[in-house]
Amino acid sequence: MDEDKIKSATDDEDVKLMLAVKDGDDRAFEQLVLRHQKPLLNFFCRLGVNISDAEDLAQLTFVRLYRYRATYERTAKFTTYLYLLARQVRIDEVRRQIKISKVKDAAKGVAEIFEAASNDKAPNSLQDDLQVALQSLDEPHREVVVLGMLRELPYQEVAEILKIPVGTVKSRMHHALKQLKKFLES
């Protein structure tokens, strides 16, 4: 029974700290980070994430916690809220890795076409072909390819830079890669 009282007191302290963070108290946020950093790292490691990536995911979780501080409402224990955020960060990271893999596969396909087309050409000629192929795209599609594939930025960042929805970035990338492949095969 004493253990339940200790947990309850800790939960109440966490909630008070989070409400203080909501009101703009950065020191309260620091206390929450110090209090929950190791358990959060342990959470990610037990999910099979290596320690380096677990540290990144924990940091992203705290960034998200800080970003959502104004919308925090005490509807459950603070740790429930924190681990829901952590879980979503992990899911977003897995999705991001899948997207990166798909983009790399698409880029590899385009690179293979370039390679096949350039077997008889000098190295500078290949760059010229790439530039001509990129110029064949309209501006919105070219921007997405340059930022997403050549600069290797994640779709979310491309969307923020271009001030368009992530879905639009994905759609433009799909169509651009299709057009590039068609252009390079001709």
Side-chain angles (χ1 to χ4, degrees), residues 75-173:
T75 56
K77 292 176 15 178
F78 171 77
T79 52
T80 302
Y81 182 74
L82 181 66
Y83 285 100
L84 282 171
L85 287 176
R87 181 178 176 269
Q88 192 58 52
V89 164
R90 173 74 172 128
I91 290 168
D92 290 348
E93 180 62 19
V94 168
R95 287 179 181 155
R96 189 179 76 80
Q97 291 299 328
I98 290 169
K99 288 177 193 174
I100 288 171
S101 176
K102 287 180 180 178
V103 169
K104 284 182 179 178
D105 288 346
K108 185 178 176 184
V110 170
E112 287 171 359
I113 293 169
F114 274 126
E115 190 176 316
S118 68
N119 282 339
D120 302 331
K121 299 178 184 177
N124 286 342
S125 179
L126 177 60
Q127 286 185 340
D128 293 342
D129 287 349
L130 175 59
Q131 193 59 37
V132 170
L134 285 173
Q135 292 303 318
S136 74
L137 298 174
D138 61 3
E139 186 71 20
H141 288 89
R142 186 171 44 248
E143 288 175 332
V144 169
V145 170
V146 170
L147 292 171
M149 290 185 65
L150 302 180
R151 302 299 310 160
E152 297 181 355
L153 297 176
Y155 286 157
Q156 181 64 41
E157 196 171 341
V158 173
E160 290 172 15
I161 291 169
L162 299 177
K163 294 184 170 104
I164 57 176
V166 175
T168 304
V169 172
K170 293 176 186 178
S171 174
R172 287 182 185 174
M173 182 65 78

Side-chain angles (χ1 to χ4, degrees), residues 37 40-41 43-45 47-65 82 85-97:
Q37 188 172 20
L40 206 52
L41 282 170
F43 169 74
F44 287 121
C45 287
L47 289 176
V49 177
N50 69 48
I51 188 67
S52 176
D53 290 341
E55 289 170 347
D56 291 342
L57 293 174
Q59 183 176 7
L60 288 171
T61 301
F62 287 121
V63 167
R64 193 169 289 186
L65 177 67
L82 181 66
L85 287 176
R87 181 178 176 269
Q88 192 58 52
V89 164
R90 173 74 172 128
I91 290 168
D92 290 348
E93 180 62 19
V94 168
R95 287 179 181 155
R96 189 179 76 80
Q97 291 299 328

Side-chain angles (χ1 to χ4, degrees), residues 1-14 35 74 77-79:
M1 192 70 166
D2 289 335
E3 192 173 307
D4 290 338
K5 286 182 182 179
I6 292 170
K7 284 183 182 178
S8 178
T10 302
D11 291 337
D12 288 342
E13 285 180 45
D14 286 343
R35 195 178 264 197
R74 183 183 182 167
K77 292 176 15 178
F78 171 77
T79 52

